[in-house]
Amino acid sequence: MATGPSPTARALRALEILQTRPGTTADQLASLLGVTERAARRYIGILREAGIPVESVRGPYGGYRLRRGTRLPPIVFTQEQALGLVMAVLDGQPTAIDADDLVGSALSKVIRALPESVGRQASALQAYASATPDRQSARPDPATTSALVAAVADRRRVEVTYRGGSGEEWTADVDPWAVVVRHGRWYLLCHSHRADAIRTYRIDRVRSVRQTPHGFTPPDDLDPVAALEENLGVGWKYPTRVVFHAPWEKVAPWIRPPMGRLQPDGDRCVLVGSTGNPAMYAQEWLATVPFDFSVEEGPELRAAVATVAARFGAALPPSAGPRPGGAA
């Protein structure tokens, strides 16, 4: 007797692959299905016979993809998948416990569309869970995020109006390479024509987006997450240079990528970067590193560190002299 998935199951699996991996080639599809390339093409034919519009695109970026706007059969979740989805949404957006919240109302619609046996516990989780907002996270405007994601997908240059952390505002033409979510914050990784350099912008600070007629081609070897990490600490208004009086291997675990690049220097190490907010850099970042350091550059960061030092110094009561029995 024949074993393994049936032709129908493989055709549905092929449909799932095209949903999640548009541009899949026949060779890739065959590998994922565990069949020959000829059989993979046959499953594409089965989908087309069922009225599902599968397009074939030639060229280096070609492959099979579903026509945009294709209506597909209803999505079916297991109970574990439904609960995992609700938990992930509440973890990322605590206000989604409220059905009047934008994301909460969308989540409620998904839950109502589930079979009663599956949706009951998901609905109870949304109704009775409590969540605490992450004070470090920042929720961008959905319309702004959608416009940027569309520009990334269409490889279309955009004009963005941006407001920095200190309130200054400017406009720049950028090639939007990727949208990256990092620790509860949404970032646009792009090439800024204004600065002629790679830039990372917090999407919650983007005030407006306007698509231009100009296209662009992102780098072939682009790794959005790695590029974001590398560039978060560069390109800001105030330069920073901090020398830690400890070896690189001890200091490195305490340094976040937005602080700059940490370089070994004998039995010390040097952190070189920039910041748009020296006070935050001193209070929230440098103050948490448990090693002695010296600020060599720039004056704004030195002033911010002096302010933190004075505040901590003022928190100590004046010395009342040696304790009885103690050393003089």
Side-chain angles (χ1 to χ4, degrees), residues 41-77:
R41 296 182 189 278
R42 188 165 63 247
Y43 293 127
I44 294 296
I46 292 174
L47 294 177
R48 287 170 173 164
E49 289 175 4
I52 297 174
V54 180
E55 298 179 337
S56 179
V57 180
R58 296 183 180 276
Y61 300 103
Y64 294 115
R65 66 185 69 238
L66 300 178
R67 184 182 304 160
R68 186 167 294 181
T70 300
R71 295 178 62 85
L72 298 174
I75 298 174
V76 179
F77 295 119

Side-chain angles (χ1 to χ4, degrees), residues 37-271:
E37 187 173 328
R38 182 178 179 182
R41 296 182 189 278
R42 188 165 63 247
Y43 293 127
I44 294 296
I46 292 174
L47 294 177
R48 287 170 173 164
E49 289 175 4
I52 297 174
V54 180
E55 298 179 337
S56 179
V57 180
R58 296 183 180 276
Y61 300 103
Y64 294 115
R65 66 185 69 238
L66 300 178
R67 184 182 304 160
R68 186 167 294 181
T70 300
R71 295 178 62 85
L72 298 174
I75 298 174
V76 179
F77 295 119
T78 64
Q79 182 169 287
E80 290 77 12
Q81 289 173 332
L83 292 175
L85 176 63
V86 175
M87 292 170 67
V89 171
L90 295 182
D91 183 55
Q93 178 111 347
T95 55
I97 58 176
D98 184 356
D100 293 331
D101 176 77
L102 178 65
V103 175
S105 62
L107 182 61
S108 297
K109 288 182 180 180
V110 172
I111 292 174
R112 286 196 298 270
L114 296 174
E116 197 275 338
S117 60
V118 175
R120 187 190 311 113
Q121 288 197 22
S123 179
L125 178 59
Q126 182 187 23
Y128 295 105
S130 298
T132 303
D134 179 359
R135 69 183 185 89
Q136 299 292 338
S137 65
R139 307 295 173 202
D141 175 60
T144 300
T145 308
S146 177
L148 291 172
V149 170
V152 171
D154 295 340
R155 297 187 176 184
R156 188 69 58 184
R157 186 179 303 171
V158 293
E159 179 187 86
V160 298
T161 300
Y162 190 80
R163 180 176 296 169
S166 58
E168 75 276 16
E169 194 169 289
W170 68 87
T171 299
D173 283 358
V174 304
D175 295 340
W177 289 351
V179 169
V180 183
V181 185
R182 179 184 183 276
H183 301 322
R185 288 182 176 170
W186 293 64
Y187 293 91
L188 174 67
L189 175 69
C190 62
H191 177 269
S192 169
H193 291 271
R194 179 175 183 263
D196 191 23
I198 299 174
R199 288 290 182 263
T200 53
Y201 295 140
R202 278 178 47 176
I203 297 181
D204 60 295
R205 293 178 178 171
V206 175
R207 317 316 298 173
S208 67
V209 180
R210 184 182 67 83
Q211 223 177 85
T212 75
H214 305 290
F216 70 90
T217 301
D220 292 335
D221 58 347
L222 177 65
D223 181 336
V225 175
L228 178 81
E229 294 283 352
E230 183 178 347
N231 286 277
L232 275 175
V234 300
W236 300 103
K237 183 176 181 179
Y238 305 109
T240 60
R241 180 181 173 88
V242 180
V243 175
F244 289 97
H245 304 286
W248 181 93
E249 59 271 15
K250 289 188 176 181
V251 178
W254 296 88
I255 302 302
R256 309 178 187 181
M259 296 174 70
R261 181 169 297 180
L262 188 67
Q263 303 168 336
D265 182 23
D267 57 354
R268 311 181 310 168
C269 52
V270 181
L271 179 64

